[in-house]
Amino acid sequence: MLKFSGKIFDGTKLIEGTVLVEGNQIVEVEEGKMESDSTKGFIIPGMIDAHLHFFGVHEDNVMSWNLVNEIDVAIRSTRDMERLLRSGFTTVRDLGSKVATRLSNLERSGEIIGPRVIASGYSLAITGGDDDPRDLPLEMAQKLSYSFYCDSPYECRKAVRLAVRQGAGVIKVYASGAFSQGGKILPGLGPYELKSIVEESHRFGLKVASHAYGREAILNSVEAGVDTIEHGLGLDKDTASMMLDRGTCYIPTLATYEIPFHVANPEVRRYREEAVSRHMKEDVKLAKSVGLKIATGTDYVGSDARPHGKNYREAVLLSQFMGNDEVLASTTSVAAECLGIRAGRIEKGYLADLVVLRNDPLQNVENLSPENVLYVVKDGKMYRGVGRED
């Protein structure tokens, strides 16, 4: 049996005492009782990144994401898995890549060290849409892509089944594309296509995560019944209220936008920068004021600019809009609820996912950084954290 004593953020509130772990579950939380033979520190549930990608690239662009050698991706992503775990992340959700379903299987079988991976397999997008490398011939692009292209409700239902065949634990869709000239957002999957995807996914017991830029894409996604809105640039009060009514989670991925992304066209770059600036200042503020469930997700891809292991940055950025206790909930209990897993809480009967920190993140969210992670417990197994010196 493992024992951990100290100040404990249990997923919703601060207590003090001892956590007892047996097997892969928390078997007791003894408030006020401090065990002399326990590991000491500030204890939180294992952190969750609800939106990332295992791309295993150096550069950040669509062509690199699609053309990178899959052996390189597998080797680099295996390294990234261990780095994520030792940085305090016990669950991650990969929303589109070529290797994540395999990483998930290998982690479950104990062949590699890393967080639990909820993988979408290939994402679902329209032909010529986001993540379609359009400089390549269509046949080649479809062969190299980490997305299934589907262009009707019937094709979309089949694409869901193809993702299920890959071993998907969630379905990722593109309800919009990127920015184009004139400040327009390129279209993605339409209302009928999204509805068919949600129906088919829920039939298989899978949640649906929607990449949505702009009011139209967010509205179409929420009306179709998706479970989480990813990015959500351009959130407005009406769509936020609809999300609240339907219990749709919001994952703003602020961390990816604090890092410059090269856009060659100056007009497109200007409109993108304006939308990102509004997102970083206003969208989360609105989501918070309405009462949406906000979960942490970075959209990090394992590149030089967005390296796995620094994923705590999302919590730091969210702390501009909410209290530190709410930030910790967003990266633990709220994220777990949005993903539909029995984790994210230090409570009897929950998965034994814990992080022992050197310093108190309720005082300063920067204390979630890897350098402060002493130990990580995932499924009841203890690992040395990045911040452990011996």
Side-chain angles (χ1 to χ4, degrees):
M1 180 178 291
L2 298 176
K3 300 178 183 180
F4 303 89
S5 292
K7 291 183 177 179
I8 301 166
F9 179 78
D10 69 0
T12 60
K13 65 185 183 301
L14 179 67
I15 60 175
E16 192 167 345
T18 296
V19 184
L20 305 179
V21 170
E22 189 169 358
N24 71 340
Q25 287 197 333
I26 296 168
V27 295
E28 198 64 61
V29 180
E30 300 176 337
E31 288 192 51
K33 184 178 180 181
M34 305 288 281
E35 296 284 350
S36 60
D37 59 345
S38 62
T39 300
K40 306 254 185 335
F42 192 100
I43 305 160
I44 65 171
M47 290 188 284
I48 297 171
D49 189 327
H51 186 139
L52 55 66
H53 303 269
F54 287 107
F55 282 166
V57 293
H58 289 297
E59 297 180 352
D60 265 332
N61 57 68
V62 171
M63 197 64 75
S64 293
W65 300 341
N66 283 277
L67 295 182
V68 62
N69 185 285
E70 290 187 34
I71 296 175
D72 293 348
V73 176
I75 293 171
R76 292 167 182 164
S77 296
T78 301
R79 172 202 64 196
D80 287 342
M81 284 277 285
E82 182 168 354
R83 183 178 294 147
L84 278 160
L85 181 67
R86 296 194 189 279
S87 298
F89 286 85
T90 54
T91 301
V92 299
R93 189 172 65 160
D94 180 295
L95 292 181
S97 73
K98 299 179 182 181
V99 299
T101 56
R102 303 308 307 162
L103 292 173
S104 179
N105 291 340
L106 291 169
E107 186 280 321
R108 282 200 305 270
S109 66
E111 295 180 66
I112 60 174
I113 293 173
R116 173 182 307 107
V117 180
I118 301 171
S120 71
Y122 285 15
S123 47
L124 276 58
I126 63 171
T127 301
D130 228 29
D131 291 346
D132 179 351
R134 281 169 281 176
D135 291 337
L136 299 176
L138 178 59
E139 184 177 340
M140 182 182 296
Q142 290 179 328
K143 185 176 181 179
L144 293 171
S145 180
Y146 52 86
S147 289
F148 293 125
Y149 304 146
C150 51
D151 300 304
S152 71
Y154 302 102
E155 287 186 3
C156 289
R157 286 186 186 273
K158 182 174 182 179
V160 171
R161 296 174 189 180
L162 288 172
V164 170
R165 185 178 187 275
Q166 288 181 322
V170 62
I171 300 298
K172 159 71 176 296
V173 302
Y174 283 94
S176 70
F179 290 92
S180 65
Q181 288 180 298
K184 294 182 179 178
I185 297 171
L186 294 170
L189 293 156
Y192 296 111
E193 292 163 327
L194 290 168
K195 184 67 175 176
S196 68
I197 290 168
V198 170
E199 287 177 355
E200 195 68 13
S201 301
H202 287 177
R203 199 163 72 88
F204 279 98
L206 301 179
K207 291 182 179 292
V208 180
S210 178
H211 167 115
Y213 280 15
R215 173 185 167 83
E216 181 180 357
I218 297 172
L219 186 63
N220 288 343
S221 298
V222 177
E223 288 183 336
V226 306
D227 300 281
T228 61
I229 293 293
E230 312 295 318
H231 315 303
L233 277 70
L235 184 73
D236 63 21
K237 191 169 184 179
D238 289 341
T239 52
S241 297
M242 184 181 294
M243 289 173 64
L244 181 66
D245 291 342
R246 302 195 179 200
T248 313
C249 292
Y250 186 52
I251 304 175
T253 65
L254 299 177
T256 199
Y257 298 114
E258 73 170 340
I259 302 162
F261 189 86
H262 177 68
V263 178
N265 185 296
E267 185 182 11
V268 175
R269 182 169 62 249
R270 178 167 62 87
Y271 282 117
R272 184 184 187 278
E273 287 173 353
E274 289 174 357
V276 166
S277 178
R278 286 195 302 273
H279 185 60
M280 299 290 282
K281 296 174 182 177
E282 302 298 332
D283 292 346
V284 179
K285 185 187 297 183
L286 172 61
K288 172 73 166 55
S289 69
V290 171
L292 294 185
K293 295 174 185 176
I294 303 171
T296 48
T298 60
D299 201 18
Y300 278 9
V301 301
S303 63
D304 294 345
R306 294 169 174 81
H308 291 312
K310 297 294 185 181
N311 308 62
Y312 79 100
R313 286 296 306 162
E314 185 71 12
V316 173
L317 293 167
L318 282 176
S319 69
Q320 302 171 77
F321 305 98
M322 56 181 72
N324 290 355
D325 57 338
E326 295 172 299
V327 171
L328 289 188
S330 287
T331 196
T332 56
S333 59
V334 174
E337 184 179 351
C338 290
L339 271 55
I341 59 174
R342 193 167 176 78
R345 293 178 183 269
I346 298 177
E347 186 177 323
K348 184 177 179 179
Y350 275 71
L351 285 172
D353 291 355
L354 310 170
V355 181
V356 181
L357 298 165
R358 179 180 287 110
N359 299 307
D360 183 352
L362 290 174
Q363 298 297 318
N364 186 346
V365 178
E366 286 283 357
N367 289 332
L368 293 174
S369 69
E371 293 73 22
N372 281 295
V373 176
L374 300 176
Y375 298 100
V376 181
V377 178
K378 184 198 158 288
D379 277 333
K381 296 180 180 179
M382 190 160 73
Y383 302 88
R384 180 173 56 83
V386 171
R388 187 71 185 176
E389 295 175 354
D390 57 0

